[in-house]
Amino acid sequence: MIKINDLSKSYNRGAVKAVNNLNLHVKAGEIFGFLGPNGAGKTTTIKMMVGLLKPDRGTLMISGYSITDQPLEVKKRIGFVPDTPEIYDKLTGLEYLNFMGDVYGVPGAVRKERIAMLLDLFELGGAVGDLLQSYSHGMRQKIVLVGAMLHQPEVFIMDEPMVGLDPKSSNNLKNYMREHCNQGKTVFFSTHILEVAERLCDRIGIIHRGELIACGTMEELKKLSRDKETLENIFLELTEK
Amino acid sequence: MMMLKLIGLQLKVNFNLSALKWYFKHDFKRFAGLLGLVVLVIVGISPIFFLYLMLVEASYDILLPLGQTEVVLASALVLASLLVLLFGLAFVMSVFYFSRDLSLLVPLPLQPRDILGSKFLVVLLYDYLTVTPFFLPALWVYGVNTGAGVLYWVLGGIVFLLVPVIPLALASLLILVLMRFTNLSRRRDTLRLIGFFLLLAALLAMNFFISSIPLGEEAEFLENILLDEDGLISLTTRAYPPALYAARALTAGGRESLLNLLSYLGISAAGIILVLFVGQGMFYQGLIGGAEIQRGRVLSREDLARKTAGTSSPEWAIVIREIKILIRTPIYLINSLATAALVLIILLIPMFTGGGQISYYQGLAKMEPRVVPILGAAGLIGLLSLFAPAASSSFSREGRLIWVSRVIPVAPQKQIRGKVLYAMLVSSLALPVMALILVLLLNWSLMDTVLALAAGLILTFPAVTSNLLIDLLRPYLAWDSEQKAIKQNINVLLGLAAGVGIYYLLFLAGKAAYGLTAAERPVYLVVLGGAALLGAVFYAAMLLLAPQRYRDLGG
Ligand SMILES: Nc1ncnc2c1ncn2[C@@H]1O[C@H](COP(=O)(O)OP(=O)(O)O)[C@@H](O)[C@H]1O
Ligand SMILES: [Mg+2]
C-alpha cells in the first residue's frame, strides 16, 4: 500500500537532514506505527507522503500511485490528520464535515450515515452546530479526524493523533483504526507514545535523526535488543546510540 | 519606558523590519524585489493621483481671482482627515482588537495604555499612506504657485505629520466606546458590526448636514461666500474645523502662523492623551471576553440527517467556504465589503450636497455619446470590486490552513475556478446597488442600466483574475492576525494598481477607437473585448501555474 524508497529531505539548503534515505513498505490491512523522539523526522516524512512537502530525492508510492506524478489519485485514496488541528474557525463543525464530504465526493446517503456514526463515536454531536472557533483543542482534533474518515480512505495517515485526546476518545480511535484495517485498509500513524505503538501496531518503524533504525513486528524488534522486556527499553537503547 | 519598547516591537512585527534587514544582508535579490514591488504599486496607482494633481492645479487657478487660494490647502486637509477618520474606524478596530499578539501582550505586566499607544502608532504610520497622496499635491501646488519660502515647507512638513493624528484619535475614541459597550452579550460580533455601520452612517450624515447649503437661500449664500474673503475656507473646513488651523498655519504668515500651528499641535496632543486616558479605563473592558462564541442550539438527529444528506460539487464547496469565511470574519467583512460600500458612498456624497451637482449627475442620463456614461458606470462597478480585496487576498487569507487546499483531492485548476466564481459573486453584489442608483437617482433608462451592469460584470473579470493571479504568485501565508492577511498585505495594493492600470489601458483603447471611427459600437467592442481577453489571459495563466503553486505553497 505504501512504498517509500530512498526518501530524503533536508532543510536550510542541506544544513538539516530531516529525512535521510528512508525505505519503508507498509502492506494493506496493516497498522503501522512510526515511532521516534522529537525532531526525528516523522512530520517531515508524513508531509511528503501527503504532498505537503516535496522530497529532495526518492519515491513515494501510495496504492500504486506516485504522489509526485499523480497527486490527485493519491489524495483521493488517503485521509490525513496533521499534528496541529488548525482548522477554519469560522465554519461550524457540520459545515466543515460537509465541505470535506463534497471535496472527497462522498455521496449524500453515505455521508449522512457516516457523519452520524462518527459523531457518536467521538461524542461531538452536541457541538457540531457550533463554530469551530469555540472548540477545545481535543474537539478540533476529533473533528479533523472525522473529516478525514468520511470517505473511508484506503490509507489513513495521522501525525501524532493521540496527542490532545482524552482517554476515552483515544480508545475509540484505536478501535476504529483496528476496524478500518480489518476491512483491508491501511493505517499509518506517527507517535512518540510507546505504549500506544506497542499495543496497537502490527508493525513498528523507529526513526531517529532522519534514518530508519529499526522496523518490524514487536517480536522482531525485541530480538534487536538485549533487554527484551518493553518497547521503551528497545527504543531507548536504539535511540541512544 | 514600557510604551517605547512595545512600539519598537510593534514596528518590527508590523512592518517586517527584521525580515527586511535579514533580506538586505543575506538575500539582496529578494530585498530589491520587495523594493521593486513598492515602486510598482506607486507607479500603478499614480495615474489617479496625477489626475488629482491636475484637479488641484485647476482649482488653484479658479480660486486665484477670488483671492481664496488657501482653500486648496484647506480642502485637501479636510479630505485627507475625513478619509483617515472614515477608514480609520475599520483599521483601528482590526489593530486594537483583532491582532493575535494581544493574547500574548495582555497577560504581561503592562498598562493598557502602553499597548494601546503602540498600536495607535502602527495605525498612524499606515495613515501617512492615505495622507500623502491627498495632502502633498495641494502643499506642492500652493507652495510653488505662491513662491513660498523655507518656512512654508518646514511648517508643511510639521502639518503633514500632524494631519492623521486628530481624526485617528477620534476614530480610536469612537471604537473604544463602541467595543466597550457592545462587549455585553454572546451576540457581540453581530452587535459590533451593526454598531460599526451605525457609526459610519452617523459620521456621514453629520458630514452631510454640516456641509450642505441652506435650502431656499442658495443665491444669497453663494454671494456671501464669494464676497467674504474667508467665506470659502470656512465653508470647506466646517466639516472638519481643525483643518482651519492647519491651513492658517501654512498661509497666514508671521505670528498668526505660529499661533495656529500651536493650536493644531495642541488639539493633536490632547487627542492622543485623551485616547490613552480613555483607553486605560476602557480598552480591556472591550477586549477581554471578546472571543466568546455564540453557541448554536444542539442539532437533533433529524436536523443532522437533513443537513448532511445534500451534496455539492467540489468547486461549489470551495465557493461556499470562501464566502462563509469572508462574511463571518469581522475583519474581512469590514475590510472588503464595507470598504467598497464606503468608497461608493464617498463617491455619491457630492450628489446630495449642493443644488448644482444633482443636475450635473442627472445630465449623465442624457449625455452623448452614451458609451461614455455607460462604460463609466461599468468601470465604477469594476473599481468597487478592486476596493473589496476579495480576490487579491484570497490565497493569502487561507494562511496556515492552506494545507487543507493542498491535501484535498480537488485539482488545483478546479480550485482556481471556484475562487474566480467566488470573487465574481462577491463583486456582483455591486450590481443591484448600482442598478438602484442608476434607475432611481439618475433616471437612466432600463436599457442603458442593463447595458452598464453587463459591461460592469465584464470589466470585473480581468480585475478579479489579475488580482487572484497576483495573490497566487506571492501569497502571504505566514500571518498571525487576520488583518495582516487583508489589510497589511501588499498584494491588495498591487491588485489595486494592476486593476487601475488595466482600466486605464482599456480607457485609452476605447478613446482611440472613438477617435478613429466616431461611432459607439467599436468602443464597446474594444473595451469589453479587451477586458474579456485580458481576463481570459490571466485566468489561463492561473490554470497553467496552479498545479505547481499548489504543490509548493507554504511548504
Ligand atoms: N520548516 C522547517 N525548517 C527547518 N527545519 C525544519 C523544519 N521543519 C522541521 N525541521 C527540522 O527537521 C527535523 C525533523 O523535524 P520533524 O519532521 O518535525 O520531526 P518530528 O515530527 O519527528 O518531531 C528537526 O530537526 C527539525 O528541526
Ligand atoms: Mg512532528
Side-chain angles (χ1 to χ4, degrees):
Chain A
M1 268 297 134
I2 305 175
K3 284 201 179 112
I4 301 177
N5 286 324
D6 300 325
L7 188 69
S8 295
K9 173 80 194 176
S10 56
Y11 291 110
N12 299 340
R13 297 196 182 121
V16 184
K17 278 198 175 128
V19 175
N20 198 7
N21 254 328
L22 189 76
N23 286 286
L24 199 62
H25 290 210
V26 181
K27 293 190 284 286
E30 218 173 37
I31 300 185
F32 189 89
F34 199 40
L35 208 62
N38 294 331
K42 303 182 294 293
T43 300
T44 306
T45 307
I46 289 183
K47 280 190 171 167
M48 288 190 278
M49 290 169 74
V50 301
L52 286 174
L53 268 182
K54 211 168 85 180
D56 293 344
R57 252 179 324 104
T59 55
L60 258 160
M61 306 284 287
I62 291 180
S63 295
Y65 295 100
S66 152
I67 182 74
T68 30
D69 300 336
Q70 291 147 298
L72 280 185
E73 294 303 322
V74 172
K75 287 174 186 176
K76 275 182 206 158
R77 291 167 174 80
I78 61 175
F80 168 58
V81 180
D83 50 353
T84 45
E86 288 187 276
I87 206 65
Y88 303 112
D89 275 350
K90 296 295 177 186
L91 295 185
T92 67
L94 195 60
E95 287 167 345
Y96 173 68
L97 295 181
N98 273 330
F99 173 75
M100 290 309 255
D102 286 337
V103 296
Y104 281 101
V106 183
V110 183
R111 181 190 307 187
K112 195 167 79 178
E113 313 244 301
R114 285 198 197 141
I115 288 184
M117 189 272 284
L118 290 168
L119 289 180
D120 279 346
L121 184 69
F122 289 108
E123 298 177 329
L124 281 173
V128 78
D130 297 343
L131 290 184
L132 292 169
Q133 197 175 4
S134 69
Y135 282 33
S136 73
H137 184 89
M139 288 160 81
R140 283 168 193 237
Q141 182 93 12
K142 291 195 273 186
I143 203 89
V144 175
L145 275 166
V146 174
M149 289 169 175
L150 282 184
H151 61 296
Q152 299 208 314
E154 277 174 36
V155 178
F156 197 18
I157 300 169
M158 293 171 281
D159 197 357
E160 314 256 4
M162 311 296 173
V163 175
L165 292 187
D166 57 41
K168 191 171 171 195
S169 306
S170 127
N171 196 47
N172 287 341
L173 175 61
K174 287 179 219 160
N175 292 338
Y176 183 85
M177 281 156 73
R178 179 48 68 200
E179 264 173 50
H180 197 65
C181 286
N182 289 344
Q183 296 167 10
K185 305 199 158 118
T186 311
V187 172
F188 181 103
F189 74 101
S190 76
T191 185
H192 61 265
I193 307 172
L194 302 165
E195 180 235 4
V196 172
E198 189 167 4
R199 292 223 330 266
L200 188 65
C201 297
D202 299 314
R203 286 201 308 139
I204 293 168
I206 299 180
I207 183 173
H208 185 45
R209 298 202 186 113
E211 300 191 23
L212 194 69
I213 52 171
C215 184
T217 61
M218 255 324 275
E219 296 309 312
E220 288 166 342
L221 288 183
K222 279 181 184 170
K223 289 189 192 121
L224 293 173
S225 167
R226 268 171 287 124
D227 180 354
K228 301 177 167 70
E229 283 311 299
T230 59
L231 185 57
E232 184 170 4
N233 289 334
I234 303 171
F235 182 76
L236 289 176
E237 195 182 315
L238 288 173
T239 54
E240 262 159 27
K241 276 179 204 161
Chain B
M1 214 176 115
M2 260 313 154
M3 203 188 291
L4 288 181
K5 284 207 184 108
L6 269 179
I7 285 174
L9 179 78
Q10 291 289 334
L11 293 185
K12 270 193 201 135
V13 173
N14 278 287
F15 298 92
N16 266 333
L17 293 185
S18 309
L20 280 181
K21 209 161 112 190
W22 194 89
Y23 287 141
F24 184 73
K25 280 200 186 127
H26 298 99
D27 194 350
F28 194 76
K29 246 193 209 153
R30 187 90 186 260
F31 181 80
L34 286 174
L35 214 66
L37 276 182
V38 174
V39 172
L40 209 65
V41 168
I42 294 172
V43 171
I45 307 184
S46 59
I48 299 185
F49 295 106
F50 184 66
L51 275 178
Y52 177 71
L53 188 70
M54 310 262 283
L55 192 75
V56 176
E57 279 278 6
S59 330
Y60 186 89
D61 294 341
I62 294 174
L63 291 163
L64 194 57
L66 300 174
Q68 304 203 19
T69 48
E70 63 273 17
V71 171
V72 162
L73 281 171
S75 53
L77 284 163
V78 171
L79 182 64
S81 307
L82 286 181
L83 286 176
V84 169
L85 173 62
L86 292 175
F87 290 103
L89 290 178
F91 206 173
V92 163
M93 192 146 144
S94 341
V95 174
F96 285 16
Y97 290 93
F98 294 97
S99 308
R100 289 252 162 101
D101 66 344
L102 287 167
S103 56
L104 293 175
L105 292 177
V106 171
L108 298 180
L110 298 169
Q111 295 281 0
R113 62 164 176 265
D114 291 338
I115 300 179
L116 203 65
S118 65
K119 298 262 174 209
F120 185 87
L121 194 80
V122 169
V123 184
L124 188 68
L125 288 181
Y126 271 101
D127 276 332
Y128 289 113
L129 289 180
T130 314
V131 170
T132 305
F134 290 99
F135 178 58
L136 288 194
L139 192 70
W140 173 259
V141 166
Y142 187 86
V144 169
N145 278 307
T146 54
V150 182
L151 187 65
Y152 170 85
W153 298 108
V154 173
L155 288 174
I158 299 175
V159 167
F160 168 75
L161 291 178
L162 290 176
V163 172
V165 174
I166 301 171
L168 193 61
L170 199 59
S172 304
L173 288 171
L174 289 171
I175 291 294
L176 278 167
V177 172
L178 172 73
M179 296 303 271
R180 162 70 185 84
F181 289 105
T182 49
N183 197 12
L184 295 170
S185 74
R186 294 169 308 165
R187 286 252 172 235
R188 59 166 70 70
D189 265 7
T190 323
L191 270 179
R192 283 173 170 175
L193 275 176
I194 296 172
F196 178 81
F197 283 110
L198 286 182
L199 257 185
L200 213 56
L203 283 174
L204 288 170
M206 217 162 73
N207 195 277
F208 164 62
F209 281 117
I210 289 175
S211 51
S212 66
I213 295 168
L215 264 173
E217 307 161 26
E218 285 97 343
E220 201 180 328
F221 186 82
L222 281 179
E223 199 178 277
N224 277 340
I225 284 174
L226 295 180
L227 293 182
D228 181 355
E229 104 182 70
D230 282 341
L232 256 181
I233 195 168
S234 49
L235 177 71
T236 5
T237 55
R238 228 166 35 173
Y240 180 69
L244 193 58
Y245 295 117
R248 287 270 154 76
L250 291 172
T251 57
R255 223 171 69 97
E256 210 187 324
S257 253
L258 208 63
L259 284 178
N260 276 297
L261 186 70
L262 284 179
S263 308
Y264 195 50
L265 196 69
I267 300 174
S268 303
I272 294 182
I273 292 169
L274 195 64
V275 168
L276 294 181
F277 182 76
V278 172
Q280 177 74 9
M282 278 194 187
F283 182 41
Y284 279 7
Q285 286 179 310
L287 180 67
I288 292 165
E292 190 187 322
I293 298 304
Q294 166 80 7
R295 276 203 69 164
R297 83 200 148 81
V298 175
L299 292 174
S300 68
R301 299 238 137 221
E302 296 73 52
D303 281 346
L304 189 64
R306 190 169 41 76
K307 287 189 173 172
T308 50
T311 58
S312 31
S313 71
E315 284 100 327
W316 196 246
I318 284 170
V319 173
I320 294 172
R321 174 192 70 181
E322 301 275 308
I323 290 182
K324 278 184 175 155
I325 293 175
L326 186 80
I327 290 180
R328 288 180 190 168
T329 312
I331 292 310
Y332 294 163
L333 187 64
I334 285 173
N335 283 309
S336 60
L337 299 184
T339 305
L342 192 60
V343 170
L344 184 66
I345 292 170
I346 288 175
L347 289 175
L348 289 182
I349 282 181
M351 210 188 284
F352 302 103
T353 48
Q357 272 137 337
I358 283 202
S359 49
Y360 169 71
Y361 276 99
Q362 291 187 336
L364 289 178
K366 308 262 148 29
M367 182 174 168
E368 293 289 338
R370 290 306 295 149
V371 67
V372 174
I374 287 177
L375 286 184
L380 183 58
I381 294 174
L383 266 183
L384 289 179
S385 84
L386 286 172
F387 277 103
S392 54
S393 63
S394 179
F395 295 95
S396 297
R397 271 180 282 127
E398 291 199 42
R400 278 171 303 177
L401 296 181
I402 192 92
W403 71 266
V404 179
S405 298
R406 297 179 59 210
V407 163
I408 55 177
V410 180
Q413 291 90 338
K414 273 193 194 171
Q415 301 201 35
I416 298 284
R417 211 183 306 156
K419 293 227 180 214
V420 172
L421 199 59
Y422 136 83
M424 289 300 289
L425 276 176
V426 171
S427 304
S428 59
L429 286 177
L431 296 183
V433 181
M434 278 305 279
L436 286 180
I437 292 171
L438 293 181
V439 173
L440 294 183
L441 286 175
L442 302 182
N443 287 323
W444 280 32
S445 74
L446 206 61
M447 184 61 203
D448 285 357
T449 307
V450 170
L451 208 57
L453 296 187
L457 214 49
I458 297 175
L459 285 183
T460 306
F461 184 49
V464 157
T465 49
S466 64
N467 283 9
L468 275 172
L469 178 63
I470 287 170
D471 203 35
L472 176 67
L473 285 174
R474 44 186 314 286
Y476 174 41
L477 299 167
W479 46 264
D480 56 358
S481 79
E482 285 141 354
Q483 48 116 3
K484 287 190 191 163
I486 195 164
K487 186 112 203 173
Q488 285 157 257
N489 185 348
I490 197 169
N491 291 356
V492 170
L493 284 178
L494 272 176
L496 188 62
V500 170
I502 290 170
Y503 289 158
Y504 187 63
L505 277 182
L506 292 174
F507 166 74
L508 291 182
K511 208 172 131 184
Y514 192 75
L516 284 176
T517 62
E520 295 192 30
R521 280 234 177 104
V523 181
Y524 285 115
L525 201 70
V526 164
V527 173
L528 299 181
L533 189 72
L534 281 175
V537 167
F538 297 134
Y539 185 46
M542 272 195 284
L543 293 187
L544 216 61
L545 287 167
Q548 177 256 332
R549 292 307 290 156
Y550 269 78
R551 198 187 63 214
D552 298 341
L553 280 182

